Amino acid sequence: MKVEFAPLSVPLQRRLQTASVVQWVFSFLCLAQCCTAVFIALFFTRFWLVSALYAAWWFIDREKPSKGGRRIHTIRNSVIWRYMRDYFPITLVKTAELDPRQNYLMGFHPHGVLAAGAFLNFCTEASGFSMIFPGITPHLMMLSLWFRIPFFRDYLMSGGLVSSDKQSASYVLRKPGGGNVLAIIVGGAQEALDARPGSYTLLLKNRKGFVRLAIQHGTPLVPIFSFGENDLFEQVRNPKGSWLRQLQHRLQQIMGISLPLFHARGIFQYSFGLMPYRRPIYTVVGKPIPVQKKHRPSEEEVDQVHQKYLNELSKLFEEHKAKYNVPEDRHLEFI
């Protein structure tokens, strides 16, 4: 199932699409630092009370990212996100119905460089998530450190982002009445180091925490593959064992985030820059995998469900790859 919207005039559409993508790239590269700088700088001005009051609110509200966040539907429905969707464009594809009386745990693959498909599909209504999956509320997990940044944390929560810790996951999956989705980019920031056009390598072979979480809550698992996610940026060559890869891993251990050296096109030219290429993304949502609830699953039980998940994800990829111009001889590789 796809949701389509009427196109704008081409010149205006192109300008607005580019501006929205610039905002998206800027928000994750610079906005966090800007928010921190503003928060500190206000203490040295006559507006110091703004930061003081926010600091008090921040302390009182400190656990909110682990308790479902605080989505603001006006921001999720902003027209800016539709312009950004049309820049690539991005399409959300449903292959099976989701029962709004149940909660679900979705595994999103691959991470890509900046997780554009995950953000647009789950943190905004640009691709029509609520129309495609009526009665379902999405929550996308993000590294907890981002929620420690003043003002920026509120911006993140407004779209439906929640912190990536066990308490946060359990809060969403235990919500009574069903109708909640917890989306996890399973490969995480480390997988971003392998994100480049034509790559179908997923950091998933030994990542089983999300499976154990699903079993403990008896939550169906839903595999997702986002075709085109890795095609938005080129990345400086960093094979395993190279000095660059070792440096990136070291920085990730220190800071908790990976630092892929990526590039693509510019704003006004197409040869070099940090703007992503205009290449389509098709985020295909697979069918739910039933999971039997068990509070303390054994390693063998986790391995069995994990292998079933890998099989279903591979099947999803194979069934749809021809539609999205993936060569017949290309298959998913789990590392």
Side-chain angles (χ1 to χ4, degrees), residues 130-143:
S130 295
M131 296 173 63
I132 297 175
F133 297 105
I136 303 293
T137 301
H139 303 78
L140 178 65
M141 298 194 86
M142 190 174 190
L143 285 174

Side-chain angles (χ1 to χ4, degrees), residues 6-17:
L8 299 171
S9 61
V10 174
L12 177 60
Q13 184 184 35
R14 288 294 178 90
R15 288 196 295 270
L16 292 174
Q17 289 168 0

Side-chain angles (χ1 to χ4, degrees), residues 99-104 135-137 173-181:
D99 185 352
R101 295 171 297 180
Q102 279 193 308
N103 294 326
Y104 296 89
I136 303 293
T137 301
L173 297 179
R174 285 202 308 257
K175 275 191 172 183
N180 294 281
V181 157

Side-chain angles (χ1 to χ4, degrees), residues 46-317:
R46 60 180 177 173
F47 302 106
W48 62 270
L49 188 58
V50 174
S51 286
L53 290 174
Y54 183 85
W57 161 251
W58 187 6
F59 177 77
I60 296 171
D61 194 56
R62 63 189 181 279
E63 294 186 1
K64 194 62 177 178
S66 296
K67 293 187 175 181
R70 184 188 301 104
R71 66 186 60 233
I72 301 176
H73 293 287
T74 302
I75 295 179
R76 282 181 58 88
N77 286 280
S78 173
V79 68
I80 292 175
W81 308 127
R82 295 202 293 273
Y83 297 143
M84 179 176 164
R85 173 206 65 201
D86 293 337
Y87 173 88
F88 297 101
I90 294 177
T91 305
L92 182 63
V93 181
K94 178 172 73 173
T95 63
E97 296 291 339
L98 297 184
D99 185 352
R101 295 171 297 180
Q102 279 193 308
N103 294 326
Y104 296 89
L105 196 160
M106 290 183 169
F108 184 94
H109 314 273
H111 182 286
V113 172
L114 293 178
F119 176 78
L120 257 294
N121 287 309
F122 298 110
C123 299
T124 81
E125 288 296 331
S127 59
F129 185 94
S130 295
M131 296 173 63
I132 297 175
F133 297 105
I136 303 293
T137 301
H139 303 78
L140 178 65
M141 298 194 86
M142 190 174 190
L143 285 174
S144 300
L145 67 89
W146 293 109
F147 294 94
R148 300 171 189 166
I149 302 173
F151 304 121
F152 190 61
R153 67 189 290 275
D154 300 283
Y155 166 67
L156 296 177
M157 287 192 290
S158 69
L161 284 156
V162 295
S163 61
S164 58
D165 54 63
K166 189 173 181 179
Q167 176 188 353
S168 177
S170 296
Y171 183 90
V172 174
L173 297 179
R174 285 202 308 257
K175 275 191 172 183
N180 294 281
V181 157
L182 180 68
I184 302 177
I185 308 177
V186 182
Q190 188 176 344
E191 190 177 79
L193 298 178
D194 289 311
R196 49 179 46 86
S199 173
Y200 301 102
T201 300
L202 302 180
L203 187 61
L204 186 56
K205 189 175 182 179
N206 295 312
R207 299 231 165 170
K208 303 176 183 179
F210 74 105
V211 173
R212 184 180 298 276
L213 191 65
I215 297 174
Q216 289 172 343
H217 292 84
T219 307
L221 285 163
V222 181
I224 299 174
F225 193 86
S226 194
F227 291 88
E229 194 75 44
N230 281 342
D231 297 337
L232 305 185
F233 296 94
E234 302 287 349
Q235 190 170 167
V236 174
R237 180 173 168 76
N238 60 342
K240 291 180 175 60
S242 66
W243 67 269
L244 177 57
R245 189 60 166 254
Q246 292 175 359
L247 176 61
Q248 289 172 323
H249 277 305
R250 181 58 178 164
L251 291 174
Q252 182 183 358
Q253 292 173 351
I254 296 173
M255 299 185 296
I257 57 175
S258 65
L259 295 173
L261 298 180
F262 62 89
H263 61 89
R265 50 159 290 187
I267 298 176
F268 303 109
Q269 45 76 31
Y270 299 91
S271 58
F272 188 84
L274 295 179
M275 284 284 291
Y277 293 121
R278 297 179 66 109
R279 294 172 179 171
I281 296 175
Y282 297 93
T283 302
V284 183
V285 181
K287 64 181 181 181
I289 303 170
V291 174
Q292 185 175 0
K293 184 176 182 179
K294 189 170 185 179
H295 182 61
R296 292 183 178 177
S298 65
E299 289 298 327
E300 182 179 357
E301 290 170 326
V302 172
D303 289 343
Q304 289 176 352
V305 177
H306 182 260
Q307 186 58 54
K308 186 174 182 180
Y309 181 87
L310 295 183
N311 295 339
E312 290 297 323
L313 180 59
S314 296
K315 182 180 177 182
L316 181 70
F317 177 81

